[in-house]
Amino acid sequence: MSDQNTDVDGPEPDAHPEGAARTEGAAHTRRSGLSRRGMLGLAGAAVGAGVVGFGAGAAVGHAVGSSPTGATYPFYGANQAGIVTPAQDRLHFAAFDVAAGLDRDGLIELLRDWTVAAARMTQGRPAGKYGPASGPSDAPPDDTGEALDLPPGGLTLTFGFGPTLFTAADGTDRFGIAARRPEALVDLPRFPGDALIDSLTGGDLCVQACSEDPQVAVHAIRNLSRIAFGRAAIRWSQLGFGRTSSTSRSQTTPRNLFGFKDGTANIKAEDSTVVDDQVWAAASDGATWMHGGSYLVARKIRMTIETWDRQQLGEQERIIGRDKGEGAPLSGGTEFTEPNFLALSAGGGTKIDPDSHVRLAHPTMNDGAQLLRRGYNFVDGNDDLGRLNAGLFFIAFQRDPRKQFIPIQARLAKNDALNEYLKHVGSAIFAVPPGARDGSYVGAGLFA
Amino acid sequence: MSDQNTDVDGPEPDAHPEGAARTEGAAHTRRSGLSRRGMLGLAGAAVGAGVVGFGAGAAVGHAVGSSPTGATYPFYGANQAGIVTPAQDRLHFAAFDVAAGLDRDGLIELLRDWTVAAARMTQGRPAGKYGPASGPSDAPPDDTGEALDLPPGGLTLTFGFGPTLFTAADGTDRFGIAARRPEALVDLPRFPGDALIDSLTGGDLCVQACSEDPQVAVHAIRNLSRIAFGRAAIRWSQLGFGRTSSTSRSQTTPRNLFGFKDGTANIKAEDSTVVDDQVWAAASDGATWMHGGSYLVARKIRMTIETWDRQQLGEQERIIGRDKGEGAPLSGGTEFTEPNFLALSAGGGTKIDPDSHVRLAHPTMNDGAQLLRRGYNFVDGNDDLGRLNAGLFFIAFQRDPRKQFIPIQARLAKNDALNEYLKHVGSAIFAVPPGARDGSYVGAGLFA
């Protein structure tokens, strides 16, 4: 497992040699733990002791650091971090389109630059060598500075390649990679009820930034966008304030904006057999450069929460198929009890409605297919009628969308009782390559 | 000081009598401390022991609770909370317009309903008596549920009245309060460079929700909006992810999206003489019902961060008047050293540029006028060119905008070197009444 000690820049110019900048006070959370200004000193001091390693599962999510906001996850490893990593609380996701003139070498250089900056930032360090305030006065800083005093925040940065990177909309093979497009990276079909907005859909590249601190996630996307200037620009982006899934048994189940627990039956990192079967692309799956990678589907789903809020509690629970307080299936038990879709109510029907969300999304209804969900709640202001533009930014990782997201969503789009309160307005799919080896870059296998 | 024990509903119907729901695990922050489901049990158990009190300064900001996310601030008191309360990390701000048909009694009823719900939610309890999941099955829940498992998060809810509440745009006195409009509640003038968008400007009412947890802040605004259905609707709203000011000496100074520390010279709650002189409206100021209240100015300020990021470090520091790393004035010293605007550089000019932001905003340049700033960083997605729609949602509290915000902003709008990187797109002013007495409602003095 590699770590922050492997930086190749040598000791940092550290304008602030006071070392760890700890802050006190019960009334704030953001400033606790080891700040990245403190990290500078440590990182510099540790150069030379560098332990370089690489092993399967390195990025699975063993945090370094004693507090959530002080946590760091290794950037380099067999898999990219930010997939089975315990879902952090905040998100900034950005889809990028590459610039018209960019060629293959330019794309590789961008990925190299992003890799170096991402490896630094995920370890709580500035995006570039000089940091935000310690470089030459007559040059722009190579970090924008707003995260300077903040702890690493458990930041992960996860990169993906969209279908249009392989074959542009006009059919051209801009980077000589069309033949290497994985079969699993299909164009998503149009589902019943889709109301997709072009400016919220697609993208050549994506970066998913997750952190316990939203300012750390925003800082990362901003700096990657800054680094990409002239080579790629943001096509669409999304902030999420609250995770809607657990990806580890160490986490409690959060709630979505319908007020229900979400992700009770999500794939958990600890279920390594399920993770291998359902999340990671295997060497036998086709594109060998994707071995250890995964496929990310993002859907921006608006919820008509004002309408939902005027719905009876019993009807809300019928639609979901679980009770609202505990999250137990309506067939009985507690949150983690398996639903019994055959259990009959006194009235004669099944206790769990056949069109309920929990039934239609359940693996038994989908040939055993599951998704590792990693979505976030969002509110983007309000519309002209004063209704909150709110909903779920759905993110799911999977081994093959043709067997997982697409058939599951096709079933849900057709019959899910929840559809009355949902509108899918954005959609994208990306091939998420395996993790980078230290010294290499994310996606190197595609260009090898 | 009143507290959660004074609830008049009697013991809560508690569907989950397990009491305090504590969660473990180092990998997440949101679920730590006492959840509001746990609070239900405690609140119910404590009814009957109710200690009712009311004293000056009750809402100044002594948190109950041992962790930031577990903190609660009293809702009732001489002043509203959320002003000198140590600035929480996350914001959801909403401006409302009242519905066409609402009359004086309807407005009072809305304020009563909001007060009851706000008092509950700030103490970590559901917005209504039945909570999200424990009421009758055939009625909509009177809480939307997404905060059910979350700790109180230090939530404060601060209410304000806009100029149009007193006199509608068409000149009518809808609520019989035109004659009671405070003289200090002026319509803000148009400042040089203003690029205001009507749909981000004004409002009859406002609610500022601040919390350490964004989901708690969003939950509060959503439920107040739900309660207002048919009586008032959101005109505009804003999420902020990172505070840009400290309002207590117990807090470190945060950074804005220019990457600089912001609010070093802000009014701090501990400076009670300054707070009395500059923040709270006095009985002698005119409108007696505003005694103990304040005036809130909100400005949505877009930053052209991509342009800023390509500016030299030295130029950034010249524009601000402070160094970027430490935040010290360019005349020397450390962050909290007073700037010396007369100190000369080797080149002959002053070390601090005459048009620097720090000089033009300084009290010595503004007849001693200061503001209690409580702003937040925001990112609202991106524009068509891939630039982040980012900036500062500026909030300032003051005793009299005619002597504070307006002359300060007039000076800044004219000469501030920072203007090249700023665009004011939203603007609003509100009279923030004093705190409510338990059993009464926010703004009762206006209708007495």
Side-chain angles (χ1 to χ4, degrees):
Chain A
M1 194 185 313
S2 65
D3 60 26
Q4 71 201 44
N5 298 342
T6 61
D7 186 77
V8 295
D9 290 333
E12 293 282 326
D14 186 351
H16 306 282
E18 69 270 36
R22 291 189 175 274
T23 57
E24 321 284 325
H28 58 92
T29 48
R30 299 168 65 207
R31 317 293 152 172
S32 63
L34 192 60
S35 79
R36 60 193 66 212
R37 190 182 296 191
M39 297 291 288
L40 290 181
L42 290 190
V47 168
V51 178
V52 183
F54 181 87
V60 165
H62 299 288
V64 178
S66 58
S67 74
T69 54
T72 59
Y73 296 101
F75 181 76
Y76 297 107
N79 315 118
Q80 289 196 63
I83 302 173
V84 294
T85 307
Q88 302 95 325
D89 273 350
R90 322 289 172 217
L91 170 80
H92 194 180
F93 190 102
F96 290 81
D97 281 341
V98 297
L102 196 74
D103 63 10
R104 181 183 171 103
D105 287 345
L107 175 61
I108 291 172
E109 189 183 29
L110 172 61
L111 293 171
R112 283 192 185 279
D113 292 348
W114 271 2
T115 297
V116 169
R120 296 177 60 98
M121 289 190 287
T122 56
Q123 305 311 307
R125 304 171 63 199
K129 187 171 176 177
Y130 289 116
S134 53
S137 178
D138 60 356
D142 56 10
D143 181 286
T144 57
E146 68 272 22
L148 180 59
D149 308 317
L150 303 179
L155 176 69
T156 56
L157 293 166
T158 313
F159 296 85
F161 302 149
T164 50
L165 192 74
F166 297 87
T167 317
D170 64 2
T172 60
D173 179 9
R174 294 174 288 178
F175 308 108
I177 54 177
R180 307 202 69 190
R181 176 172 169 173
E183 286 184 14
L185 186 67
V186 293
D187 293 304
L188 291 177
R190 181 164 285 269
F191 298 99
D194 271 6
L196 303 183
I197 297 166
D198 186 59
S199 59
L200 301 175
T201 295
D204 294 334
L205 298 162
C206 79
V207 187
Q208 172 195 273
C210 298
S211 171
E212 305 300 340
D213 187 330
Q215 187 141 323
V216 169
V218 164
H219 169 264
I221 293 294
R222 177 195 185 170
N223 278 274
L224 294 174
S225 174
R226 181 182 58 76
I227 289 166
F229 179 71
R231 298 184 282 179
I234 293 177
R235 178 180 172 84
W236 54 266
S237 59
Q238 183 66 51
L239 268 72
F241 59 79
R243 67 177 172 91
T244 60
S245 294
S246 304
T247 57
S248 165
R249 298 208 185 283
S250 69
Q251 301 184 295
T252 54
T253 310
R255 290 179 186 269
N256 60 30
L257 292 183
F258 287 134
F260 278 75
K261 289 184 182 175
D262 202 339
T264 294
N266 199 27
I267 295 176
K268 303 293 196 293
E270 292 83 357
D271 303 333
S272 56
T273 307
V274 181
V275 169
D276 285 341
D277 189 46
Q278 304 264 347
V279 179
W280 302 129
S284 57
D285 287 352
T288 52
W289 66 271
M290 275 294 291
H291 179 203
S294 190
Y295 295 88
L296 183 164
V297 171
R299 304 282 287 185
K300 182 165 184 171
I301 307 174
R302 291 234 169 97
M303 295 172 165
T304 56
I305 59 172
E306 288 80 6
T307 314
W308 178 261
D309 288 347
R310 288 192 282 285
Q311 196 53 267
Q312 299 172 357
L313 174 60
E315 176 67 1
Q316 291 183 1
E317 293 180 333
R318 182 191 71 78
I319 290 168
I320 301 293
R322 295 181 178 274
D323 88 287
K324 197 166 187 177
E326 161 68 22
L330 293 184
S331 50
T334 57
E335 183 191 343
F336 293 102
T337 305
E338 266 299 305
N340 176 358
F341 299 117
L342 303 176
L344 296 175
S345 65
T350 51
K351 287 184 175 176
I352 298 178
D353 191 289
D355 287 343
S356 65
H357 185 74
V358 70
R359 179 171 174 275
L360 293 175
H362 197 268
T364 56
M365 297 300 295
N366 292 285
D367 292 328
Q370 293 179 256
L371 298 166
L372 187 142
R373 279 167 290 152
R374 234 177 171 285
Y376 287 83
N377 296 321
F378 73 84
V379 172
D380 297 342
N382 52 277
D383 68 15
D384 291 345
L385 297 175
R387 299 175 300 198
L388 291 174
N389 278 331
L392 173 68
F393 187 71
F394 173 94
I395 298 174
F397 290 92
Q398 60 221 283
R399 181 174 171 182
D400 190 337
R402 295 169 299 178
K403 299 176 185 168
Q404 295 168 273
F405 176 77
I406 292 172
I408 294 172
Q409 178 57 21
R411 184 177 304 271
L412 290 172
K414 203 168 154 199
N415 290 321
D416 188 355
L418 203 49
N419 289 340
E420 192 179 337
Y421 307 93
L422 300 177
K423 193 162 78 171
H424 289 242
V425 295
S427 178
I429 184 170
F430 301 95
V432 173
R437 286 177 184 269
D438 194 1
S440 183
Y441 62 96
V442 173
L446 173 58
F447 302 94
Chain B
M1 195 187 311
S2 66
D3 60 26
Q4 69 201 45
N5 298 342
T6 62
D7 187 76
V8 295
D9 291 332
E12 294 282 327
D14 186 351
H16 306 283
E18 69 271 33
R22 292 189 176 274
T23 58
E24 321 285 325
H28 57 91
T29 48
R30 301 170 64 208
R31 318 293 152 175
S32 62
L34 192 59
S35 79
R36 60 194 66 213
R37 190 181 297 191
M39 298 291 290
L40 291 181
L42 290 188
V47 168
V51 178
V52 184
F54 181 87
V60 165
H62 299 290
V64 178
S66 58
S67 75
T69 55
T72 58
Y73 297 101
F75 180 76
Y76 297 106
N79 314 119
Q80 288 196 64
I83 303 173
V84 295
T85 307
Q88 302 94 326
D89 273 351
R90 323 289 171 217
L91 170 80
H92 195 180
F93 191 103
F96 290 81
D97 280 341
V98 297
L102 197 74
D103 63 9
R104 180 182 172 104
D105 287 345
L107 176 60
I108 291 172
E109 189 183 28
L110 172 62
L111 293 171
R112 283 191 186 277
D113 292 348
W114 271 2
T115 297
V116 169
R120 296 178 60 99
M121 291 191 286
T122 55
Q123 304 311 304
R125 304 172 64 198
K129 186 172 176 175
Y130 287 116
S134 54
S137 179
D138 60 355
D142 55 11
D143 181 285
T144 57
E146 68 272 22
L148 180 58
D149 308 317
L150 303 178
L155 176 69
T156 55
L157 293 165
T158 313
F159 296 85
F161 303 149
T164 50
L165 192 74
F166 296 88
T167 316
D170 64 2
T172 59
D173 179 9
R174 296 174 288 178
F175 308 108
I177 54 176
R180 307 201 69 191
R181 175 172 170 174
E183 286 184 15
L185 186 67
V186 293
D187 293 304
L188 290 177
R190 181 164 284 269
F191 298 98
D194 271 6
L196 303 184
I197 297 167
D198 186 57
S199 58
L200 301 174
T201 296
D204 293 335
L205 298 163
C206 78
V207 186
Q208 171 195 274
C210 298
S211 173
E212 304 301 340
D213 186 329
Q215 187 140 322
V216 169
V218 164
H219 169 264
I221 293 294
R222 176 194 186 171
N223 278 274
L224 295 174
S225 174
R226 181 182 57 78
I227 288 167
F229 179 71
R231 298 183 282 179
I234 293 177
R235 177 180 174 85
W236 54 266
S237 58
Q238 183 66 52
L239 268 71
F241 59 79
R243 68 177 171 91
T244 59
S245 294
S246 304
T247 57
S248 164
R249 299 208 184 283
S250 68
Q251 301 184 294
T252 53
T253 310
R255 289 179 186 268
N256 61 30
L257 292 183
F258 288 133
F260 278 75
K261 290 185 182 175
D262 202 339
T264 295
N266 200 26
I267 294 175
K268 303 293 197 292
E270 292 83 358
D271 303 333
S272 56
T273 306
V274 180
V275 169
D276 284 342
D277 188 46
Q278 304 264 347
V279 178
W280 302 127
S284 57
D285 287 353
T288 52
W289 65 270
M290 276 293 291
H291 180 203
S294 190
Y295 294 89
L296 184 164
V297 171
R299 304 282 287 186
K300 182 163 183 171
I301 307 174
R302 292 235 168 97
M303 294 172 165
T304 56
I305 59 173
E306 289 80 6
T307 314
W308 177 260
D309 288 347
R310 287 192 282 284
Q311 195 54 265
Q312 300 172 357
L313 175 60
E315 176 67 0
Q316 291 184 1
E317 293 181 332
R318 182 190 71 79
I319 289 168
I320 301 293
R322 293 181 179 273
D323 89 286
K324 197 166 187 177
E326 160 69 21
L330 294 183
S331 50
T334 57
E335 184 191 344
F336 293 102
T337 305
E338 266 298 305
N340 177 358
F341 299 118
L342 303 176
L344 296 176
S345 66
T350 51
K351 287 183 174 176
I352 298 177
D353 192 288
D355 287 342
S356 65
H357 185 74
V358 69
R359 179 171 174 275
L360 293 174
H362 197 269
T364 56
M365 298 299 295
N366 292 285
D367 292 327
Q370 293 179 255
L371 298 166
L372 187 143
R373 278 168 290 152
R374 233 176 172 286
Y376 287 83
N377 296 322
F378 73 85
V379 172
D380 297 342
N382 52 277
D383 67 15
D384 291 345
L385 297 175
R387 299 175 300 198
L388 292 175
N389 277 330
L392 172 69
F393 187 71
F394 172 94
I395 298 174
F397 290 92
Q398 61 221 283
R399 182 174 170 183
D400 190 337
R402 296 169 298 178
K403 298 176 184 169
Q404 294 167 272
F405 176 78
I406 293 172
I408 294 172
Q409 178 57 22
R411 184 178 303 271
L412 290 172
K414 202 169 155 197
N415 289 320
D416 188 355
L418 203 49
N419 289 339
E420 191 178 337
Y421 306 93
L422 299 177
K423 192 160 80 170
H424 288 243
V425 296
S427 178
I429 184 170
F430 300 96
V432 172
R437 287 175 184 271
D438 193 2
S440 183
Y441 63 96
V442 173
L446 173 58
F447 302 95

